[in-house]
Amino acid sequence: THNAMMDVVGTVSTEPFKQIAQMIRAGRTVDAHGADTYLPNGPALTMPIDFLAGERNQIFLPETTQRTMNWLREIHGDWPQTKFDARFTRHLFRGYAHMDLFIGKSAHIDIFPYLLERLQTRGKA
């Protein structure tokens, strides 16, 4: 699968991986230069965000999306928390790991319909 990724998605920039390395070294979210530009700007994040996580993801642990969503909800206060009314939502996909969400054997059955529904619902908001 990994050998076929270039055929599937084409050439990919390595620049984001430099930022990921910066974040790992800093132990928190920072920009590509190591500056603390994101966390102080949490109040500015007012657009809807849907956090997705594979339950078996060992690269980006699933609990990080829960912590981030909770942090944003604390900053922005309460609003309807129903499935499609919440500004920040999270869905944990059981049995899926990192890239499985997009290239897993059953992603077209388990993941893609959820993504399509979210995009269609968000487009009406």
Side-chain angles (χ1 to χ4, degrees), residues 69-113:
M69 185 179 70
N70 292 344
W71 173 72
L72 287 167
R73 285 181 173 176
E74 285 175 23
I75 290 172
H76 293 279
D78 293 330
W79 51 80
Q81 297 298 320
T82 62
K83 182 177 179 182
F84 291 114
D85 291 337
R87 185 177 303 165
F88 308 114
T89 61
R90 177 180 180 265
H91 189 85
L92 183 68
F93 290 95
R94 304 262 176 232
Y96 280 83
H98 180 57
M99 286 299 292
D100 296 351
L101 294 176
F102 303 103
I103 61 170
K105 182 172 82 173
S106 298
H108 67 289
I109 297 167
D110 300 328
I111 312 296
F112 292 178

Short mmCIF file of all heavy atoms in Angstrom, two decimals, residues 69-113:
data_model
loop_
_atom_site.label_atom_id
_atom_site.label_comp_id
_atom_site.label_asym_id
_atom_site.label_seq_id
_atom_site.Cartn_x
_atom_site.Cartn_y
_atom_site.Cartn_z
N MET A 69 -10.96 19.24 20.95
CA MET A 69 -12.36 19.63 20.87
C MET A 69 -12.84 20.19 22.21
O MET A 69 -13.52 21.21 22.25
CB MET A 69 -13.23 18.45 20.45
CG MET A 69 -14.68 18.84 20.22
SD MET A 69 -15.72 17.47 19.69
CE MET A 69 -15.78 16.51 21.19
N ASN A 70 -12.48 19.54 23.31
CA ASN A 70 -12.86 20.04 24.63
C ASN A 70 -12.29 21.44 24.88
O ASN A 70 -12.97 22.31 25.43
CB ASN A 70 -12.41 19.08 25.72
CG ASN A 70 -13.15 17.77 25.70
OD1 ASN A 70 -14.21 17.63 25.07
ND2 ASN A 70 -12.60 16.78 26.37
N TRP A 71 -11.05 21.65 24.48
CA TRP A 71 -10.40 22.96 24.64
C TRP A 71 -11.17 24.03 23.87
O TRP A 71 -11.45 25.10 24.41
CB TRP A 71 -8.95 22.86 24.17
CG TRP A 71 -8.21 24.15 24.12
CD1 TRP A 71 -7.76 24.90 25.17
CD2 TRP A 71 -7.81 24.85 22.94
NE1 TRP A 71 -7.10 26.02 24.71
CE2 TRP A 71 -7.11 26.02 23.35
CE3 TRP A 71 -7.96 24.60 21.57
CZ2 TRP A 71 -6.59 26.92 22.44
CZ3 TRP A 71 -7.42 25.50 20.67
CH2 TRP A 71 -6.75 26.65 21.11
N LEU A 72 -11.53 23.74 22.63
CA LEU A 72 -12.28 24.71 21.83
C LEU A 72 -13.66 24.98 22.42
O LEU A 72 -14.12 26.12 22.44
CB LEU A 72 -12.40 24.22 20.38
CG LEU A 72 -11.12 24.32 19.57
CD1 LEU A 72 -11.24 23.54 18.27
CD2 LEU A 72 -10.75 25.76 19.31
N ARG A 73 -14.30 23.94 22.92
CA ARG A 73 -15.63 24.12 23.53
C ARG A 73 -15.53 24.97 24.80
O ARG A 73 -16.42 25.75 25.09
CB ARG A 73 -16.27 22.78 23.83
CG ARG A 73 -16.79 22.10 22.58
CD ARG A 73 -17.45 20.79 22.90
NE ARG A 73 -18.09 20.24 21.71
CZ ARG A 73 -18.67 19.06 21.67
NH1 ARG A 73 -18.71 18.30 22.76
NH2 ARG A 73 -19.23 18.63 20.56
N GLU A 74 -14.45 24.81 25.56
CA GLU A 74 -14.25 25.64 26.76
C GLU A 74 -14.08 27.11 26.37
O GLU A 74 -14.63 28.00 27.02
CB GLU A 74 -13.02 25.18 27.53
CG GLU A 74 -13.22 23.90 28.31
CD GLU A 74 -11.94 23.43 28.96
OE1 GLU A 74 -11.01 24.25 29.18
OE2 GLU A 74 -11.86 22.22 29.26
N ILE A 75 -13.33 27.37 25.33
CA ILE A 75 -13.08 28.74 24.88
C ILE A 75 -14.35 29.40 24.37
O ILE A 75 -14.63 30.56 24.68
CB ILE A 75 -12.01 28.76 23.76
CG1 ILE A 75 -10.65 28.40 24.32
CG2 ILE A 75 -11.98 30.10 23.05
CD1 ILE A 75 -9.59 28.20 23.24
N HIS A 76 -15.13 28.64 23.60
CA HIS A 76 -16.28 29.22 22.91
C HIS A 76 -17.60 29.05 23.63
O HIS A 76 -18.63 29.52 23.15
CB HIS A 76 -16.38 28.64 21.49
CG HIS A 76 -15.24 29.06 20.63
ND1 HIS A 76 -15.20 30.28 20.01
CD2 HIS A 76 -14.08 28.43 20.30
CE1 HIS A 76 -14.07 30.39 19.33
NE2 HIS A 76 -13.38 29.30 19.50
N GLY A 77 -17.59 28.41 24.77
CA GLY A 77 -18.83 28.25 25.51
C GLY A 77 -19.72 27.17 24.92
O GLY A 77 -19.32 26.42 24.04
N ASP A 78 -20.93 27.13 25.42
CA ASP A 78 -21.86 26.08 25.01
C ASP A 78 -22.72 26.53 23.84
O ASP A 78 -23.07 27.69 23.71
CB ASP A 78 -22.78 25.70 26.17
CG ASP A 78 -22.01 25.02 27.28
OD1 ASP A 78 -21.00 24.36 26.98
OD2 ASP A 78 -22.41 25.15 28.44
N TRP A 79 -23.06 25.61 23.01
CA TRP A 79 -24.02 25.76 21.93
C TRP A 79 -24.62 24.39 21.74
O TRP A 79 -24.17 23.43 22.37
CB TRP A 79 -23.37 26.31 20.65
CG TRP A 79 -22.15 25.55 20.24
CD1 TRP A 79 -22.10 24.38 19.59
CD2 TRP A 79 -20.80 25.92 20.51
NE1 TRP A 79 -20.80 23.98 19.42
CE2 TRP A 79 -19.99 24.90 19.97
CE3 TRP A 79 -20.21 27.00 21.15
CZ2 TRP A 79 -18.60 24.94 20.07
CZ3 TRP A 79 -18.83 27.02 21.23
CH2 TRP A 79 -18.06 26.01 20.70
N PRO A 80 -25.61 24.22 20.91
CA PRO A 80 -26.22 22.89 20.78
C PRO A 80 -25.16 21.82 20.50
O PRO A 80 -24.28 22.01 19.67
CB PRO A 80 -27.17 23.05 19.58
CG PRO A 80 -27.47 24.50 19.55
CD PRO A 80 -26.22 25.20 20.03
N GLN A 81 -25.25 20.73 21.21
CA GLN A 81 -24.26 19.67 21.06
C GLN A 81 -24.86 18.43 20.40
O GLN A 81 -24.42 17.32 20.65
CB GLN A 81 -23.68 19.30 22.44
CG GLN A 81 -22.93 20.42 23.10
CD GLN A 81 -21.72 20.88 22.31
OE1 GLN A 81 -20.99 20.09 21.74
NE2 GLN A 81 -21.51 22.19 22.24
N THR A 82 -25.84 18.61 19.56
CA THR A 82 -26.40 17.48 18.83
C THR A 82 -25.44 17.11 17.70
O THR A 82 -24.50 17.85 17.40
CB THR A 82 -27.79 17.81 18.25
OG1 THR A 82 -27.64 18.89 17.33
CG2 THR A 82 -28.76 18.17 19.35
N LYS A 83 -25.68 16.01 17.07
CA LYS A 83 -24.74 15.47 16.08
C LYS A 83 -24.34 16.49 15.01
O LYS A 83 -23.17 16.60 14.67
CB LYS A 83 -25.35 14.23 15.41
CG LYS A 83 -24.44 13.58 14.40
CD LYS A 83 -25.07 12.32 13.83
CE LYS A 83 -24.16 11.69 12.80
NZ LYS A 83 -24.76 10.52 12.19
N PHE A 84 -25.28 17.25 14.48
CA PHE A 84 -24.94 18.14 13.38
C PHE A 84 -25.09 19.63 13.71
O PHE A 84 -24.90 20.47 12.85
CB PHE A 84 -25.77 17.80 12.14
CG PHE A 84 -25.37 16.47 11.55
CD1 PHE A 84 -26.25 15.42 11.57
CD2 PHE A 84 -24.11 16.28 11.02
CE1 PHE A 84 -25.88 14.19 11.03
CE2 PHE A 84 -23.73 15.06 10.49
CZ PHE A 84 -24.62 14.01 10.51
N ASP A 85 -25.44 19.95 14.93
CA ASP A 85 -25.58 21.36 15.29
C ASP A 85 -24.34 21.92 15.98
O ASP A 85 -24.17 23.12 16.05
CB ASP A 85 -26.80 21.57 16.20
CG ASP A 85 -28.10 21.34 15.46
OD1 ASP A 85 -28.09 21.46 14.22
OD2 ASP A 85 -29.10 21.04 16.11
N ALA A 86 -23.51 21.05 16.53
CA ALA A 86 -22.34 21.51 17.26
C ALA A 86 -21.32 22.12 16.30
O ALA A 86 -21.15 21.65 15.18
CB ALA A 86 -21.71 20.36 18.02
N ARG A 87 -20.66 23.15 16.75
CA ARG A 87 -19.62 23.77 15.94
C ARG A 87 -18.42 22.83 15.82
O ARG A 87 -17.79 22.73 14.78
CB ARG A 87 -19.18 25.09 16.57
CG ARG A 87 -18.18 25.83 15.70
CD ARG A 87 -17.81 27.16 16.28
NE ARG A 87 -19.00 27.98 16.49
CZ ARG A 87 -19.03 29.08 17.23
NH1 ARG A 87 -17.95 29.50 17.83
NH2 ARG A 87 -20.13 29.76 17.39
N PHE A 88 -18.09 22.16 16.92
CA PHE A 88 -16.95 21.24 16.93
C PHE A 88 -17.47 19.84 17.23
O PHE A 88 -18.11 19.62 18.25
CB PHE A 88 -15.93 21.66 17.99
CG PHE A 88 -15.53 23.10 17.86
CD1 PHE A 88 -15.85 24.02 18.84
CD2 PHE A 88 -14.82 23.55 16.75
CE1 PHE A 88 -15.49 25.35 18.73
CE2 PHE A 88 -14.47 24.88 16.62
CZ PHE A 88 -14.79 25.78 17.61
N THR A 89 -17.22 18.92 16.33
CA THR A 89 -17.66 17.54 16.51
C THR A 89 -16.47 16.61 16.38
O THR A 89 -15.42 16.98 15.85
CB THR A 89 -18.74 17.15 15.48
OG1 THR A 89 -18.17 17.26 14.17
CG2 THR A 89 -19.97 18.02 15.60
N ARG A 90 -16.67 15.40 16.84
CA ARG A 90 -15.61 14.39 16.78
C ARG A 90 -16.26 13.04 16.51
O ARG A 90 -17.30 12.72 17.08
CB ARG A 90 -14.85 14.34 18.09
CG ARG A 90 -13.78 13.28 18.16
CD ARG A 90 -13.08 13.33 19.52
NE ARG A 90 -12.05 12.34 19.63
CZ ARG A 90 -12.21 11.14 20.18
NH1 ARG A 90 -13.38 10.77 20.67
NH2 ARG A 90 -11.19 10.29 20.26
N HIS A 91 -15.63 12.28 15.65
CA HIS A 91 -16.10 10.93 15.40
C HIS A 91 -14.91 9.98 15.47
O HIS A 91 -13.89 10.21 14.82
CB HIS A 91 -16.78 10.81 14.03
CG HIS A 91 -17.46 9.50 13.84
ND1 HIS A 91 -18.75 9.27 14.28
CD2 HIS A 91 -17.04 8.34 13.31
CE1 HIS A 91 -19.08 8.03 14.00
NE2 HIS A 91 -18.06 7.44 13.41
N LEU A 92 -15.05 8.96 16.29
CA LEU A 92 -14.02 7.93 16.45
C LEU A 92 -14.43 6.71 15.64
O LEU A 92 -15.51 6.16 15.86
CB LEU A 92 -13.86 7.57 17.92
CG LEU A 92 -12.77 6.56 18.27
CD1 LEU A 92 -11.40 7.17 18.00
CD2 LEU A 92 -12.89 6.14 19.71
N PHE A 93 -13.61 6.32 14.69
CA PHE A 93 -13.92 5.17 13.85
C PHE A 93 -13.26 3.93 14.44
O PHE A 93 -12.03 3.83 14.48
CB PHE A 93 -13.44 5.41 12.41
CG PHE A 93 -14.25 6.46 11.70
CD1 PHE A 93 -13.83 7.78 11.68
CD2 PHE A 93 -15.44 6.13 11.08
CE1 PHE A 93 -14.58 8.75 11.04
CE2 PHE A 93 -16.21 7.10 10.45
CZ PHE A 93 -15.77 8.41 10.41
N ARG A 94 -14.08 3.03 14.91
CA ARG A 94 -13.61 1.80 15.54
C ARG A 94 -12.89 0.91 14.52
O ARG A 94 -13.33 0.78 13.39
CB ARG A 94 -14.78 1.01 16.13
CG ARG A 94 -15.59 1.82 17.11
CD ARG A 94 -15.19 1.52 18.53
NE ARG A 94 -15.93 2.39 19.43
CZ ARG A 94 -15.37 3.14 20.35
NH1 ARG A 94 -14.07 3.12 20.50
NH2 ARG A 94 -16.10 3.90 21.13
N GLY A 95 -11.77 0.35 14.95
CA GLY A 95 -11.03 -0.59 14.12
C GLY A 95 -10.14 0.04 13.07
O GLY A 95 -9.47 -0.67 12.32
N TYR A 96 -10.12 1.37 13.00
CA TYR A 96 -9.31 2.05 11.99
C TYR A 96 -8.07 2.67 12.63
O TYR A 96 -8.12 3.11 13.78
CB TYR A 96 -10.13 3.15 11.29
CG TYR A 96 -11.05 2.58 10.23
CD1 TYR A 96 -12.28 2.06 10.56
CD2 TYR A 96 -10.65 2.54 8.90
CE1 TYR A 96 -13.12 1.52 9.60
CE2 TYR A 96 -11.48 2.01 7.93
CZ TYR A 96 -12.71 1.50 8.29
OH TYR A 96 -13.52 0.96 7.33
N ALA A 97 -7.00 2.74 11.85
CA ALA A 97 -5.76 3.34 12.33
C ALA A 97 -5.55 4.68 11.62
O ALA A 97 -6.51 5.41 11.40
CB ALA A 97 -4.59 2.39 12.10
N HIS A 98 -4.34 4.99 11.23
CA HIS A 98 -3.99 6.31 10.72
C HIS A 98 -4.57 6.56 9.32
O HIS A 98 -5.64 7.15 9.18
CB HIS A 98 -2.48 6.47 10.73
CG HIS A 98 -1.98 7.79 10.25
ND1 HIS A 98 -2.37 8.98 10.80
CD2 HIS A 98 -1.13 8.10 9.25
CE1 HIS A 98 -1.77 9.97 10.17
NE2 HIS A 98 -1.03 9.46 9.21
N MET A 99 -3.92 6.11 8.29
CA MET A 99 -4.39 6.35 6.92
C MET A 99 -5.54 5.45 6.50
O MET A 99 -6.14 5.63 5.45
CB MET A 99 -3.23 6.19 5.92
CG MET A 99 -2.25 7.34 5.95
SD MET A 99 -2.99 8.93 5.52
CE MET A 99 -3.36 8.68 3.79
N ASP A 100 -5.87 4.47 7.36
CA ASP A 100 -7.00 3.59 7.06
C ASP A 100 -8.28 4.38 6.80
O ASP A 100 -9.15 3.93 6.07
CB ASP A 100 -7.30 2.64 8.23
CG ASP A 100 -6.17 1.69 8.52
OD1 ASP A 100 -5.22 1.63 7.73
OD2 ASP A 100 -6.25 1.00 9.55
N LEU A 101 -8.41 5.54 7.43
CA LEU A 101 -9.61 6.34 7.24
C LEU A 101 -9.84 6.69 5.78
O LEU A 101 -10.97 6.90 5.35
CB LEU A 101 -9.53 7.64 8.06
CG LEU A 101 -9.53 7.50 9.57
CD1 LEU A 101 -9.34 8.86 10.22
CD2 LEU A 101 -10.81 6.84 10.06
N PHE A 102 -8.77 6.75 5.01
CA PHE A 102 -8.88 7.15 3.61
C PHE A 102 -8.57 6.02 2.63
O PHE A 102 -9.11 6.01 1.53
CB PHE A 102 -7.99 8.35 3.33
CG PHE A 102 -8.32 9.51 4.23
CD1 PHE A 102 -7.54 9.81 5.32
CD2 PHE A 102 -9.47 10.26 4.01
CE1 PHE A 102 -7.88 10.86 6.17
CE2 PHE A 102 -9.82 11.30 4.85
CZ PHE A 102 -9.02 11.60 5.94
N ILE A 103 -7.70 5.09 3.02
CA ILE A 103 -7.32 4.04 2.08
C ILE A 103 -7.59 2.64 2.62
O ILE A 103 -7.18 1.66 2.03
CB ILE A 103 -5.83 4.16 1.67
CG1 ILE A 103 -4.92 4.01 2.88
CG2 ILE A 103 -5.58 5.46 0.94
CD1 ILE A 103 -3.45 3.89 2.54
N GLY A 104 -8.30 2.54 3.74
CA GLY A 104 -8.62 1.24 4.32
C GLY A 104 -9.53 0.43 3.42
O GLY A 104 -10.29 0.97 2.61
N LYS A 105 -9.45 -0.87 3.59
CA LYS A 105 -10.21 -1.79 2.74
C LYS A 105 -11.71 -1.48 2.73
O LYS A 105 -12.36 -1.59 1.69
CB LYS A 105 -9.98 -3.23 3.22
CG LYS A 105 -10.68 -4.29 2.41
CD LYS A 105 -10.26 -5.68 2.82
CE LYS A 105 -11.05 -6.10 4.02
NZ LYS A 105 -10.82 -7.50 4.40
N SER A 106 -12.26 -1.06 3.85
CA SER A 106 -13.70 -0.78 3.93
C SER A 106 -14.01 0.70 4.13
O SER A 106 -15.12 1.06 4.52
CB SER A 106 -14.33 -1.59 5.06
OG SER A 106 -14.18 -2.97 4.82
N ALA A 107 -13.04 1.58 3.85
CA ALA A 107 -13.26 3.02 4.05
C ALA A 107 -14.43 3.52 3.22
O ALA A 107 -15.18 4.39 3.65
CB ALA A 107 -11.99 3.79 3.72
N HIS A 108 -14.61 2.97 2.03
CA HIS A 108 -15.71 3.41 1.17
C HIS A 108 -17.07 3.08 1.77
O HIS A 108 -18.07 3.71 1.43
CB HIS A 108 -15.57 2.79 -0.23
CG HIS A 108 -15.74 1.31 -0.27
ND1 HIS A 108 -14.81 0.44 0.25
CD2 HIS A 108 -16.75 0.54 -0.76
CE1 HIS A 108 -15.23 -0.81 0.09
NE2 HIS A 108 -16.40 -0.77 -0.53
N ILE A 109 -17.11 2.13 2.69
CA ILE A 109 -18.36 1.74 3.34
C ILE A 109 -18.51 2.44 4.70
O ILE A 109 -19.57 2.95 5.04
CB ILE A 109 -18.41 0.20 3.55
CG1 ILE A 109 -18.40 -0.50 2.19
CG2 ILE A 109 -19.60 -0.21 4.40
CD1 ILE A 109 -18.13 -1.99 2.27
N ASP A 110 -17.42 2.46 5.48
CA ASP A 110 -17.48 2.94 6.86
C ASP A 110 -17.18 4.43 7.02
O ASP A 110 -17.71 5.06 7.93
CB ASP A 110 -16.46 2.18 7.73
CG ASP A 110 -16.73 0.69 7.75
OD1 ASP A 110 -17.90 0.29 7.66
OD2 ASP A 110 -15.75 -0.08 7.88
N ILE A 111 -16.33 4.98 6.17
CA ILE A 111 -15.84 6.35 6.38
C ILE A 111 -16.46 7.33 5.38
O ILE A 111 -16.98 8.38 5.76
CB ILE A 111 -14.30 6.42 6.26
CG1 ILE A 111 -13.62 5.32 7.07
CG2 ILE A 111 -13.80 7.82 6.62
CD1 ILE A 111 -13.80 5.38 8.54
N PHE A 112 -16.38 7.02 4.10
CA PHE A 112 -16.80 7.97 3.07
C PHE A 112 -18.25 8.42 3.19
O PHE A 112 -18.54 9.61 3.02
CB PHE A 112 -16.51 7.42 1.67
CG PHE A 112 -15.04 7.32 1.35
CD1 PHE A 112 -14.62 6.80 0.15
CD2 PHE A 112 -14.05 7.74 2.24
CE1 PHE A 112 -13.27 6.69 -0.17
CE2 PHE A 112 -12.70 7.63 1.94
CZ PHE A 112 -12.31 7.12 0.74
N PRO A 113 -19.20 7.54 3.50
CA PRO A 113 -20.58 8.03 3.67
C PRO A 113 -20.70 9.04 4.82
O PRO A 113 -21.44 10.02 4.71
CB PRO A 113 -21.38 6.75 3.97
CG PRO A 113 -20.59 5.67 3.32
CD PRO A 113 -19.15 6.07 3.51
#
